[in-house]
Amino acid sequence: KLQPPYLKYAIADGLVKFFGEGKTERIHYLAADHSERWADPEEKVRAEFWAELIYKYEYRPERIGLEVKVERRTPDDRADLVIYADDEKKDRYFVFECKRADITDAELAQALEQACGNRASLGGKFAGAISGITRRLRRLIPSNLNSCLIPHAALVAFSFTRSITSGARQIRGKPKEASSISNTGTISLRSASSESKLMRSWLASPR
């Protein structure tokens, strides 16, 4: 079983490369053909979560977008991470904002609201804010496309089997069914044990 930090597996498999030194060092995500400044604390959080999506939740790198332009938002507004449900990258599934690990609860709540706004503009189904090991996730209510909340009675447990190939490593998995959440519709997690029960159901690939 693969263990965090997951970025080391992505480096070993050649999914990311680093170039430059010191403050000019950059990380390059090959599948997305995108690079960012590695000295940025938020980039370190995004890189690790990006790798976690691949090696823990088994998303294909080709279906993860970085710095995705958000239409109908402020000029040059971009979503940090977007998971797509299709190879053509037309069906947005999950929209994330990634923040440095030491932000306050209020700042994390603001990041989640930003992710929800981006989700609405992009037409995604889920939104999330990531800060270090803390994750807050929301799903929209189908009857209200402008909302990012869902009552726990409407939570759907996904059942799926997936396989991807990353380099020479074949990865397969079946996550557990969803557990109940609070009526606020927001999952807020800081422990790996909780993550395995709740995040896996919401992060399950639609295919």
Side-chain angles (χ1 to χ4, degrees), residues 25-40:
E25 186 177 17
R26 299 182 70 85
I27 180 173
H28 182 70
Y29 303 84
L30 274 71
D33 192 22
H34 183 81
S35 65
E36 289 287 345
R37 188 171 61 91
W38 185 238
D40 185 348

Side-chain angles (χ1 to χ4, degrees), residues 6-19 27-34 50-51 54-55 61-62 165-169 171:
Y6 295 97
L7 187 59
K8 62 178 181 283
Y9 302 114
I11 295 172
D13 287 341
L15 299 182
V16 295
K17 294 184 181 297
F18 291 86
F19 58 92
I27 180 173
H28 182 70
Y29 303 84
L30 274 71
D33 192 22
H34 183 81
W50 169 86
I54 296 168
Y55 290 95
E62 294 79 10
T165 301
S166 177
R169 183 180 290 113
I171 308 172

